[in-house]
Amino acid sequence: MRLPCLCEVFMNIQIFGKSKCFDTKKAERYFKERRVKFQRIDLARYGMSQGEFSSVKNAVGLAAMVDDKANGAEILAYLAYDADKEGKLLENPALIKTPIVRNGKKATIGFCPEIWKEWS
């Protein structure tokens, strides 16, 4: 009987990404190569729940979540309140930068193997 490695026991990875995002594909490959199971969530199709969004925001900050290159992202600069920005991001997940990789209360945005390595 094979014993699970520590990364299989303690890591509960979720990858929120867009289907055409190169960094999302790199993040998935990173975890596949290390045989770490993960749940992939298509951000454009399913979005994020309020709880997931809040968890990521608490880990990385609201400003880091905005994809400045996305169509329509410039409107966020004109919104005065963070609550309005959050509402706009939840309403239009295409404005969220990807990949978002979550491990419990920890989260990263973008390709961050140096941080993911510390999680195992």
Side-chain angles (χ1 to χ4, degrees):
M1 182 168 107
R2 182 179 86 76
L3 294 174
C5 74
L6 288 176
C7 58
E8 292 173 358
V9 175
F10 295 109
M11 295 179 79
N12 185 22
I13 302 296
Q14 289 181 310
I15 300 175
F16 292 85
K18 300 171 189 167
S19 59
K20 295 186 180 187
C21 174
F22 181 69
D23 282 343
T24 297
K25 291 176 183 174
K26 283 176 33 180
E28 291 174 359
R29 186 171 53 245
Y30 175 88
F31 289 104
K32 281 180 188 174
E33 287 173 353
R34 286 152 185 80
R35 295 188 184 116
V36 175
K37 293 181 182 178
F38 61 89
Q39 177 186 15
R40 185 190 191 294
I41 296 109
D42 185 347
L43 194 58
R45 186 172 183 183
Y46 299 107
M48 295 179 90
S49 72
Q50 179 68 47
E52 292 166 335
F53 185 89
S54 294
S55 174
V56 173
K57 182 186 78 164
N58 290 339
V60 300
L62 184 61
M65 295 181 72
V66 177
D67 184 356
D68 295 327
K69 297 175 185 169
N71 288 338
E74 60 278 351
I75 191 75
L76 294 170
Y78 297 104
L79 298 175
Y81 301 105
D82 284 351
D84 294 335
K85 292 177 184 179
E86 288 178 30
K88 195 66 161 170
L89 289 171
L90 284 167
E91 174 186 308
N92 187 357
L95 299 176
I96 299 174
K97 192 173 186 178
T98 55
I100 296 174
V101 180
R102 285 184 62 210
N103 180 21
K105 293 186 184 232
K106 299 174 189 172
T108 61
I109 295 185
F111 185 71
C112 305
E114 63 284 349
I115 296 173
W116 304 332
K117 187 177 182 181
E118 294 174 8
W119 290 354
S120 55

